[in-house]
Amino acid sequence: MPRPITFKPGEKVCLADIDPRKIDGDWDKESAAERMEQNAERTRDLAYRLYAENRRSVLLVLQGMDTAGKDGTIRAVMHSVSPQSCQVTPFKAPSNLELDHDFLWRIHQAVPRRGNIGIFNRSHYEDVLVVRVHNLVPKEEWRSRYERINEFEQMLTEGSVTIVKCMLHVSKEEQRERLQKRLDNPNKRWKFSKGDLAERKLWDDYQEAYEAALAHCNTKHAPWHVIPADRKWYRNLVVSELLRSTLEELDPQFPPSESGLDDITVV
Amino acid sequence: MPRPITFKPGEKVCLADIDPRKIDGDWDKESAAERMEQNAERTRDLAYRLYAENRRSVLLVLQGMDTAGKDGTIRAVMHSVSPQSCQVTPFKAPSNLELDHDFLWRIHQAVPRRGNIGIFNRSHYEDVLVVRVHNLVPKEEWRSRYERINEFEQMLTEGSVTIVKCMLHVSKEEQRERLQKRLDNPNKRWKFSKGDLAERKLWDDYQEAYEAALAHCNTKHAPWHVIPADRKWYRNLVVSELLRSTLEELDPQFPPSESGLDDITVV
């Protein structure tokens, strides 16, 4: 099965050494589409059981450079799950109210409730990514956040949340093509902002910040997964596989029914 | 096209006169499935434009007796829409914190944000349904709620929310069969509670409470729709049709792009 790239806790990560076009085995677009269909069926069933069981939840954290495909992954991987048991939270630039609290305040409120799959489209990791690259807070402050994040995630997993963190790994050349496509396609142009080009100039700083987050916050309880993301179909396949296997490991069960129902006939 | 049953504002509603097996035209399971596929495609596109436009939102309110199929409708009608632009809020018995506020407090917090489709699985209408039937608050209090609800909904629609209220209308006999199926199917039994039978005994009181809500809160800005719901495929078809036509009327547009993008080449 196609697998994400993982590391040992504490292991140094060099993104330049990971091929964003890497493919496990001999998967192609066609066989991937077939497998995606099977995963959708299986995930639908497992998500329904998770919802019925109402004891545990799954949190899928999606990070990646601009155009890495966070929105597209959500559409492709989650379409079989009822929106009733799936909440997506996009984290944009924090509001004034959010800035008046610690950086985990708004994150904590969005943690999925029991029975649900929650998806973070960007997350608390922005507080050690964009914040670090742009020096939005002093270095002493962002430097201590890695540890705070690990503690926070440990607390969640000791409760009932299974955390799956994915970094969608695209190449700088692939980002160039995707940004250009947004400019050239009238229906996609609204997504483009000149600010995207300014961020692109900071590519190396972002890669470095990602490497730090991947190394410092790759814990046993909440490991990071790097997803080769230059090919959209393969990116979707790996994430869908990961979600499926996470749910299979949880093996959620329908809850026991009330006692004394055996002899009831509804009239 | 299959249409829900609607009324003039202020018109008296008699649910017993509405056939829960009513079918418009000569739709059958097969032609409905085909149309549902077309609606899914169209709704996917329109919901994406609504999200991109980021100016307005849609709120679908689902009410109905136990087993009327609120969960199933959500699964069937929303599966094509990315969970990123769709939030479902199930309203169960209020928590102590919620009871420490007015009845619209928890509702207001769940109103969908711009660009999104929000679904209420049960809603503020429970505060004039189960609350009325069980006398959970004094009559003077629930009696004034119809007016408070109309004012609240008007405020929302004057903002940017389009409200679509659906009452899934099942017969008492159909409910009997569905409850019995839950008892008989080991994978469905967890959904059954003896309390369901106690509620079923209050069928007539609930129908009366529904008729009052349908009459008092069927306003021009937020009309009620009664959906014949004894046949699941027809219920899904009518709601999917309603959502599609609501979005088509809104006709959401991709927002304009930034100026000065014409001569940019990404490097």
Side-chain angles (χ1 to χ4, degrees):
Chain A
M1 284 303 118
R3 293 181 52 77
I5 292 102
T6 53
F7 320 92
K8 293 194 192 72
E11 189 179 338
K12 209 173 163 300
V13 176
C14 178
L15 283 170
D17 290 347
I18 301 173
D19 180 6
R21 303 185 76 80
K22 177 179 184 294
I23 287 182
D24 272 351
D26 54 358
W27 289 95
D28 58 21
K29 229 169 162 170
E30 205 171 303
S31 58
E34 211 173 293
R35 178 71 185 172
M36 286 289 283
E37 261 321 296
Q38 294 165 10
N39 288 352
E41 277 306 305
R42 186 86 177 105
T43 300
R44 183 206 317 271
D45 178 52
L46 288 162
Y48 183 64
R49 283 166 185 267
L50 188 78
Y51 178 75
E53 184 190 73
N54 201 28
R55 277 203 313 122
R56 297 169 293 176
S57 62
V58 172
L59 172 58
L60 179 64
V61 174
L62 291 181
Q63 284 287 160
M65 301 291 285
D66 282 348
T67 76
K70 299 178 286 295
D71 296 20
T73 302
I74 295 170
R75 269 197 304 276
V77 171
M78 299 308 298
H79 77 89
S80 74
V81 175
S82 173
Q84 179 145 251
S85 60
C86 173
Q87 307 141 18
V88 181
T89 311
F91 289 100
K92 306 193 174 167
S95 70
N96 284 341
L97 176 65
E98 288 166 349
L99 286 171
D100 279 346
H101 294 82
D102 68 85
F103 78 105
L104 291 171
W105 182 75
R106 64 175 185 159
I107 307 295
H108 212 153
Q109 292 177 56
V111 170
R113 60 173 174 271
R114 289 180 208 280
N116 276 34
I117 299 172
I119 300 180
F120 285 179
N121 185 343
R122 304 188 186 271
S123 67
H124 41 303
Y125 284 96
E126 291 298 327
D127 295 290
V128 290
L129 291 167
V130 63
V131 167
R132 169 176 163 150
V133 169
H134 288 280
N135 291 303
L136 299 180
V137 304
K139 182 167 181 184
E140 309 79 71
E141 205 173 323
W142 60 252
R143 206 166 39 183
S144 74
R145 285 183 176 174
Y146 300 105
E147 209 43 49
R148 297 295 84 73
I149 288 175
N150 287 341
E151 292 157 2
F152 172 70
E153 292 181 351
Q154 179 160 19
M155 187 265 299
L156 294 182
T157 54
E158 283 180 4
S160 50
V161 188
T162 299
I163 302 176
V164 181
K165 300 186 292 197
C166 292
M167 191 266 180
L168 308 181
H169 177 47
V170 285
S171 63
K172 196 173 178 188
E173 169 58 17
E174 180 71 21
Q175 189 194 57
R176 189 193 62 71
E177 281 177 32
R178 292 184 186 178
L179 285 174
Q180 191 64 51
K181 264 191 200 147
R182 287 188 185 175
L183 271 172
D184 297 344
N185 182 336
N187 278 354
K188 288 190 172 173
R189 215 178 223 210
W190 62 275
K191 286 202 219 175
F192 188 94
S193 129
K194 283 176 210 157
D196 297 343
L197 298 178
E199 289 298 283
R200 179 167 163 80
K201 287 202 178 122
L202 300 168
W203 182 273
D204 292 342
D205 295 343
Y206 271 106
Q207 295 291 302
E208 199 184 306
Y210 265 109
E211 287 173 348
L214 291 168
H216 293 320
C217 300
N218 181 39
T219 55
K220 213 180 146 216
H221 54 271
W224 268 108
H225 306 80
V226 172
I227 316 289
D230 268 12
R231 290 185 178 89
K232 293 177 183 177
W233 63 266
Y234 189 71
R235 170 200 76 200
N236 294 343
L237 177 66
V238 177
V239 177
S240 108
E241 208 65 36
L242 190 55
L243 180 66
R244 173 186 173 151
S245 62
T246 301
L247 288 165
E248 280 178 338
E249 236 168 276
L250 288 175
D251 191 23
Q253 302 293 323
F254 289 115
S257 57
E258 263 179 47
S259 61
L261 296 186
D262 282 342
D263 301 322
I264 291 180
T265 305
V266 184
V267 289
Chain B
M1 283 302 118
R3 294 180 51 77
I5 291 103
T6 53
F7 321 91
K8 292 193 192 74
E11 188 179 339
K12 209 173 162 301
V13 177
C14 178
L15 282 170
D17 290 348
I18 301 173
D19 180 5
R21 303 185 75 81
K22 178 179 183 294
I23 287 182
D24 271 351
D26 54 359
W27 289 96
D28 58 21
K29 230 170 162 168
E30 205 170 303
S31 58
E34 210 173 293
R35 178 72 185 170
M36 286 288 284
E37 261 322 295
Q38 294 165 9
N39 287 353
E41 277 306 306
R42 186 86 176 105
T43 300
R44 182 207 316 269
D45 177 53
L46 288 161
Y48 183 64
R49 283 166 185 268
L50 188 78
Y51 178 75
E53 184 190 73
N54 201 29
R55 279 203 312 122
R56 297 169 292 177
S57 62
V58 172
L59 171 59
L60 179 64
V61 173
L62 292 180
Q63 285 286 160
M65 301 290 286
D66 282 347
T67 76
K70 298 178 286 297
D71 296 18
T73 303
I74 295 170
R75 268 197 305 277
V77 172
M78 299 308 297
H79 76 88
S80 73
V81 174
S82 173
Q84 179 146 251
S85 61
C86 173
Q87 308 141 15
V88 181
T89 311
F91 289 100
K92 307 195 173 163
S95 69
N96 284 340
L97 176 65
E98 288 166 347
L99 286 171
D100 279 345
H101 295 82
D102 69 85
F103 77 104
L104 292 171
W105 182 75
R106 64 175 184 159
I107 307 295
H108 212 153
Q109 293 177 55
V111 170
R113 59 172 174 271
R114 290 180 208 280
N116 275 35
I117 299 172
I119 301 180
F120 285 179
N121 185 342
R122 303 188 186 272
S123 67
H124 42 304
Y125 283 96
E126 291 299 325
D127 295 290
V128 289
L129 292 166
V130 62
V131 167
R132 170 177 163 148
V133 168
H134 287 280
N135 291 303
L136 298 181
V137 304
K139 183 169 181 183
E140 308 80 71
E141 205 172 323
W142 59 252
R143 207 167 38 183
S144 73
R145 286 183 177 174
Y146 300 106
E147 208 44 48
R148 297 295 85 71
I149 287 175
N150 288 343
E151 292 157 2
F152 173 70
E153 291 180 351
Q154 178 159 18
M155 188 263 301
L156 294 182
T157 53
E158 284 180 2
S160 51
V161 188
T162 299
I163 303 177
V164 181
K165 301 186 292 196
C166 293
M167 191 265 179
L168 309 182
H169 177 47
V170 284
S171 64
K172 197 175 178 187
E173 169 57 18
E174 180 70 21
Q175 189 194 58
R176 189 194 62 70
E177 280 178 32
R178 291 184 187 178
L179 285 173
Q180 191 64 51
K181 264 189 199 149
R182 287 188 185 176
L183 271 171
D184 297 344
N185 182 337
N187 277 355
K188 288 190 172 174
R189 214 177 223 210
W190 61 276
K191 286 203 223 176
F192 188 93
S193 129
K194 282 176 211 156
D196 297 344
L197 298 178
E199 290 297 285
R200 179 168 163 80
K201 287 202 177 121
L202 300 168
W203 182 272
D204 292 342
D205 295 343
Y206 271 106
Q207 295 291 302
E208 199 184 307
Y210 264 109
E211 287 171 348
L214 290 169
H216 293 320
C217 300
N218 181 39
T219 54
K220 214 180 145 215
H221 53 271
W224 268 109
H225 306 80
V226 173
I227 317 289
D230 268 13
R231 290 186 178 89
K232 293 176 183 178
W233 63 266
Y234 189 70
R235 170 201 75 200
N236 294 343
L237 178 65
V238 177
V239 177
S240 105
E241 208 64 35
L242 191 55
L243 180 65
R244 173 184 174 153
S245 62
T246 301
L247 288 166
E248 279 177 339
E249 236 168 275
L250 287 176
D251 191 23
Q253 302 294 323
F254 289 115
S257 57
E258 263 179 47
S259 60
L261 295 186
D262 282 342
D263 302 322
I264 291 180
T265 305
V266 184
V267 289

